[in-house]
Amino acid sequence: MADAASRLATLAEELLGGPLPVRLRAWDGSEAGPVGGPVLIVRDRRALRRLIWKPGELGLARAWVAGEIDVEGDLYALLDSLSGLLWERGEETRGLLDSVRDPKLRAAARALLRIAGPFPPPKPPAEEMRGRSGSRHSKRRDKQAISHHYDVGNEFYELVLGPSMVYSCAYWTEDGTLEDAQRDKLDLIARKLNLKEGDRLLDVGCGWGSMALHAAREYGARVVGVTLSREQAVYARKRIADEGLTDLIEIRVQDYRDVTDGPYDAISSIGMAEHVGSVKYREYADTLYGLLKPGGRLLNHQISRRPEPDEEAYEIDAFIDAYVFPDGELSPMGSTLTTLEYAGFEVRDVEAIREHYALTLRRWVANLEAGWDRAVRLTSPGRARIWRLYMAASAVSFERNRIGVNQFLAVKTPESGRSGTALRPRVWQE
């Protein structure tokens, strides 16, 4: 088919109501659009058939994972241009892309059919999450979701995350390394929790054991870490044994809702609450409150989203749900704070560190790209592509203030009213 790129560009501009900000290259070698920037490559017409059957983000995601679309040049710049195009046009454009009943979209589908050919839809890539069982955020289904995301091989995570094996936002200085920034984040949390020798710390969603190791090694805390990932638990236990800290740290494959051996002096929950879900968030807050002793502290480190005009209309991101964090949900910062207060906590401090996550994600993407061939061998080409897109797109979202990340310090303040926090817990930089 001659000049497929021009036909696709014209169709896209009609659908979106404006010029495309990126250049297109089609499977026939033709190109269209502005020069001098990144190029969106449509390698195979199968990508169009995916869009016909799944308009919007899921169709595009399947084509990306399958390698049918790709990017030449600066991936961040392309994502920034395309995401800006959609975000700045508001709900009208997003609704059009998601509604198969819209006449404009149906006309676009017919035009795509003429280009793509009347063939059945390709099967979803093997990396897509399927076969979920149980109600959303039941213990059984949560375990399936966690396994899908985390049980893909510890060597893969070593490649992406680096030696720290910390899978959450780091805490940066101007010239620090990723390892420095992750160590500083763990220490920031330990100091906010006011950890002391002999304190009992519950680390909810303990990952590969990095927070547990830091708390035990640097502060002498006695730590229980819980995770639903068996691969994480095996890895964490080996690290703990290698450092000779088995007398201070216990790692369990356990749902946090099944922890019954409180009270604890402190609880850390770092990048775990995103898995809880809005319908279970009050239960999460109540459970952690009940596990703390009076005066105990919770440090809840959590990604947030901007509130919707109609919160009932909020939908989980289709790409993230199918390929990255099944059933994961983001809450507005205010909703998280309110829920913690309803559970009985006194929220003493909220620190927003949005820019820090963008820096962290860019380092992870650089690690992945530098070890690309090995990442593909350890997982699959599709899995490596998922992670590259997910992390790069997330970095752009943090940079554009579409999502944020916050640390909530909350206290189970006793009836006496003595919170145990300093009068000036933080010193602001000028």
Side-chain angles (χ1 to χ4, degrees), residues 332-399:
M333 181 178 67
S335 298
T336 298
L337 190 151
T338 299
T339 303
L340 291 172
E341 289 190 321
Y342 273 123
F345 283 106
E346 180 186 9
V347 178
R348 298 289 306 195
D349 185 76
V350 181
E351 184 172 4
I353 52 175
R354 171 176 61 83
E355 294 87 350
H356 293 256
Y357 218 155
L359 292 169
T360 305
L361 285 156
R362 283 179 175 262
R363 297 298 177 92
W364 289 344
V365 171
N367 287 346
L368 176 61
E369 291 176 341
W372 185 260
D373 291 342
R374 183 163 179 261
V376 168
R377 290 195 302 272
L378 290 170
T379 55
S380 68
R383 181 75 64 187
R385 291 175 63 80
I386 289 166
W387 276 78
R388 183 172 180 241
L389 178 62
Y390 147 63
M391 294 191 297
S394 295
V396 171
S397 293
F398 281 109
E399 288 164 353

Side-chain angles (χ1 to χ4, degrees), residues 246-355:
T246 53
D247 59 328
L248 289 178
I249 306 172
E250 177 189 1
I251 301 296
R252 304 173 185 168
V253 180
Q254 185 179 36
D255 192 294
Y256 76 94
R257 290 166 284 192
D258 294 329
V259 176
T260 58
D261 61 344
Y264 287 87
D265 297 283
I267 298 176
S268 53
S269 178
I270 309 169
M272 179 271 178
E274 296 89 338
H275 295 290
V276 170
S278 58
V279 298
K280 295 289 186 179
Y281 202 85
R282 177 61 190 273
E283 179 184 359
Y284 163 81
D286 287 341
T287 299
L288 300 189
Y289 185 85
L291 287 168
L292 279 171
K293 73 173 189 180
R297 298 185 180 190
L298 165 68
L299 193 288
N300 186 78
H301 175 117
Q302 181 177 347
I303 299 172
S304 64
R305 61 175 172 84
R306 302 292 159 244
E308 298 282 351
D310 176 12
E311 278 294 313
E312 295 296 322
Y314 167 69
E315 294 182 357
I316 300 172
D317 182 279
F319 167 59
I320 299 293
D321 187 51
Y323 289 100
V324 186
F325 289 109
D327 295 337
E329 296 180 51
L330 301 183
S331 298
M333 181 178 67
S335 298
T336 298
L337 190 151
T338 299
T339 303
L340 291 172
E341 289 190 321
Y342 273 123
F345 283 106
E346 180 186 9
V347 178
R348 298 289 306 195
D349 185 76
V350 181
E351 184 172 4
I353 52 175
R354 171 176 61 83
E355 294 87 350

Side-chain angles (χ1 to χ4, degrees), residues 141-162:
R141 183 155 158 172
D142 278 354
K143 192 168 185 177
Q144 294 170 350
I146 293 298
S147 179
H148 174 86
H149 186 72
Y150 292 103
D151 292 340
V152 297
N154 291 324
E155 289 183 81
F156 175 75
Y157 279 98
E158 285 179 333
L159 186 153
V160 174
L161 303 180

Side-chain angles (χ1 to χ4, degrees), residues 164 166 168-170 178-186 360 364:
S164 71
V166 180
S168 54
C169 174
L178 176 59
E179 296 310 304
D180 292 337
Q182 291 292 15
R183 183 198 60 240
D184 289 349
K185 187 269 301 296
L186 297 177
T360 305
W364 289 344

Side-chain angles (χ1 to χ4, degrees), residues 12-217:
E13 289 172 353
E14 289 176 356
L15 187 63
L16 296 173
L20 277 178
V22 299
R23 191 163 183 80
L24 281 178
R25 181 184 303 149
W27 57 91
D28 63 351
S30 61
E31 296 190 12
V35 298
V39 181
L40 179 63
I41 305 169
V42 184
R43 297 192 184 279
D44 195 304
R45 290 194 294 175
R46 289 163 58 92
L48 307 184
R49 299 203 289 277
R50 294 189 191 277
L51 280 171
I52 291 167
W53 289 91
K54 284 291 181 183
E57 187 171 304
L58 186 56
L60 286 169
R62 287 174 171 174
W64 172 269
V65 175
E68 295 157 2
I69 60 174
D70 207 343
V71 173
E72 180 182 287
D74 189 334
L75 175 60
Y76 295 103
L78 183 136
L79 289 170
D80 191 54
S81 296
L82 292 181
S83 58
L85 178 70
L86 293 177
W87 290 335
E88 289 162 13
R89 292 184 187 278
E91 297 297 328
E92 180 180 350
T93 299
R94 290 200 295 273
L96 172 63
L97 290 174
D98 291 334
S99 175
V100 296
R101 294 183 296 274
D102 191 285
K104 193 172 183 181
L105 186 59
R106 292 174 70 87
R110 288 193 294 269
L112 276 176
L113 271 174
R114 289 192 292 271
I115 303 173
F119 303 106
K123 292 181 179 180
E127 293 82 2
E128 185 167 315
M129 177 67 171
R130 294 189 291 275
R132 307 181 204 192
S133 59
S135 59
R136 181 175 289 174
H137 299 300
S138 64
K139 292 178 183 179
R140 179 181 179 184
R141 183 155 158 172
D142 278 354
K143 192 168 185 177
Q144 294 170 350
I146 293 298
S147 179
H148 174 86
H149 186 72
Y150 292 103
D151 292 340
V152 297
N154 291 324
E155 289 183 81
F156 175 75
Y157 279 98
E158 285 179 333
L159 186 153
V160 174
L161 303 180
S164 71
M165 288 299 280
V166 180
Y167 185 33
S168 54
C169 174
Y171 198 62
W172 293 89
T173 58
E174 291 295 331
D175 56 356
T177 67
L178 176 59
E179 296 310 304
D180 292 337
Q182 291 292 15
R183 183 198 60 240
D184 289 349
K185 187 269 301 296
L186 297 177
D187 202 64
L188 175 68
I189 290 171
R191 287 185 283 111
K192 286 183 176 182
L193 290 173
N194 194 32
L195 289 182
K196 302 179 295 297
E197 185 172 356
D199 279 355
R200 295 191 74 210
L201 169 67
L202 175 64
D203 188 26
V204 179
C206 65
W208 295 271
S210 298
M211 181 64 203
L213 283 163
H214 188 85
R217 183 198 314 115

